[in-house]
Amino acid sequence: ATVPKADLQRILSKVVDESFNCLSIDGDESTSDSVVAVASNQVDEPLDMQEFEDAMMFVGKGLAADIVRNGEGTSHVMRVQITKFPGTKREARFLGRHIVNSPLFKCAVSGNDPNTGRLAAAIGSFMGKYMPDTNLSEMSLTLGGRCIFSKGKFVLEGDEVEKALSQHMKDAEFGDSTVFPPHQRFVEIGVDFGSVGGNVDLTILGSDLTQEYVVVNADYRS
C-alpha cells in the first residue's frame, strides 16, 4: 500500500504524541532517542487510511509499554490514566510524569506498598505549583481499580483493603530473577478530575525505582 509522505508524517506524529511521548523511566532523556517510520513503497494494495492509523497507534503504544517494561531494573510498570483534566494535553502529560517520576512513590511501588499519601502528594505538589487555582473538589483517585480518594478525603477501609492494594502491585511485579518480563500487567492508577474538570484524557506509563536500577547506573562506567 502506498501512503503519501505527508499522511505518514501526520500519523506518526500523532502516534508518537500518544505513546512514546507519554512514558518516563526516570525523567532523563537521551540525545539519540528517536522514532522512525520507514515505508518500502513496494506493496501495491488498497489501503484504508483509518485502519492503517489505528494499527500504527496499536503498535506504537505496545512498543512504548515495552520500553518501560524492559527498563533498567524495572520490576513494575505504572499506568496512570488521567481523565477530564482541566488544562492542555501538554499539562496533563507533565502531571502524569510528575507522578511516575516521584522517587518516593516509585520506591513505594517497588516495595508493593500502596502508600496512597505519596500518590496524593505527587499530584498535590504539581497542582499546587503549576495550577494552584484549579477546582479539585470532584477529584477522585483509584489504585488497582479501587477508589482511594474522593472529594477531598481518603477512602480508607482497613487492613483488608490495604492487603488487596498491595496484592494488586504484587500481581504486576516481574520478580528479581526475571530475564524477560513474563507478563504485561500494570500497576493501575486513575486520576479523575470529575464533572468540574475539562476534556483532556491521557495515559502515562512509568517504572518503579529498584535497588537493581541503582546498582546498574552506579556501576555504569566502572
Side-chain angles (χ1 to χ4, degrees), residues 54-68:
D54 292 344
M56 284 274 286
M57 185 67 74
F58 178 81
V59 171
K61 288 184 175 181
L63 290 174
D66 284 341
I67 289 175
V68 181

Side-chain angles (χ1 to χ4, degrees), residues 47-123:
L47 175 66
D48 183 318
M49 193 64 74
Q50 186 59 54
E51 183 178 356
F52 177 75
E53 182 174 328
D54 292 344
M56 284 274 286
M57 185 67 74
F58 178 81
V59 171
K61 288 184 175 181
L63 290 174
D66 284 341
I67 289 175
V68 181
R69 198 168 283 116
N70 288 279
E72 296 163 343
T74 296
S75 66
H76 298 78
V77 178
M78 294 180 273
R79 180 161 61 184
V80 180
Q81 295 180 304
I82 300 172
T83 55
K84 300 179 183 177
F85 182 76
T88 66
K89 181 176 287 188
R90 184 171 183 267
E91 290 170 328
R93 185 181 292 117
F94 285 162
L95 170 60
R97 287 179 174 173
H98 201 79
I99 295 169
V100 301
N101 287 336
S102 165
L104 286 176
F105 187 59
K106 289 165 80 74
C107 288
V109 172
S110 175
N112 298 313
D113 175 11
N115 195 316
T116 55
R118 291 183 180 179
L119 172 59
I123 297 169

Side-chain angles (χ1 to χ4, degrees), residues 4-202:
K5 181 179 179 180
D7 288 333
L8 186 59
Q9 182 62 65
R10 173 185 60 79
I11 292 171
L12 179 62
S13 296
K14 181 178 179 180
V15 168
V16 169
D17 192 51
E18 297 186 23
S19 57
F20 299 103
N21 284 347
C22 287
L23 67 84
S24 183
I25 306 299
D26 50 23
D28 290 329
E29 298 175 354
S30 168
T31 55
S32 59
D33 287 346
S34 305
V35 177
V36 178
V38 179
S40 67
N41 201 28
Q42 298 298 307
V43 180
D44 186 17
E45 296 288 342
L47 175 66
D48 183 318
M49 193 64 74
Q50 186 59 54
E51 183 178 356
F52 177 75
E53 182 174 328
D54 292 344
M56 284 274 286
M57 185 67 74
F58 178 81
V59 171
K61 288 184 175 181
L63 290 174
D66 284 341
I67 289 175
V68 181
R69 198 168 283 116
N70 288 279
E72 296 163 343
T74 296
S75 66
H76 298 78
V77 178
M78 294 180 273
R79 180 161 61 184
V80 180
Q81 295 180 304
I82 300 172
T83 55
K84 300 179 183 177
F85 182 76
T88 66
K89 181 176 287 188
R90 184 171 183 267
E91 290 170 328
R93 185 181 292 117
F94 285 162
L95 170 60
R97 287 179 174 173
H98 201 79
I99 295 169
V100 301
N101 287 336
S102 165
L104 286 176
F105 187 59
K106 289 165 80 74
C107 288
V109 172
S110 175
N112 298 313
D113 175 11
N115 195 316
T116 55
R118 291 183 180 179
L119 172 59
I123 297 169
S125 69
F126 177 89
M127 299 304 296
K129 288 178 183 176
Y130 304 111
M131 303 181 68
D133 298 325
T134 302
N135 185 347
L136 303 178
S137 62
E138 297 294 322
M139 172 186 276
S140 63
L141 308 178
T142 59
L143 180 59
R146 183 186 293 267
C147 183
I148 59 172
F149 183 92
S150 179
K151 297 182 179 180
K153 296 180 180 180
F154 283 102
V155 181
L156 303 175
E157 301 174 4
D159 291 343
E160 291 304 312
V161 172
E162 185 93 1
K163 290 178 182 178
L165 294 175
S166 181
Q167 188 61 53
H168 169 69
M169 292 178 163
K170 290 178 181 177
D171 290 341
E173 190 174 9
F174 301 146
D176 294 336
S177 61
T178 300
V179 176
F180 188 82
H183 60 71
Q184 297 186 343
R185 292 190 287 272
F186 301 90
V187 175
E188 300 284 4
I189 299 161
V191 183
D192 188 339
F193 286 81
S195 60
V196 297
N199 299 315
V200 174
D201 297 340
L202 196 70

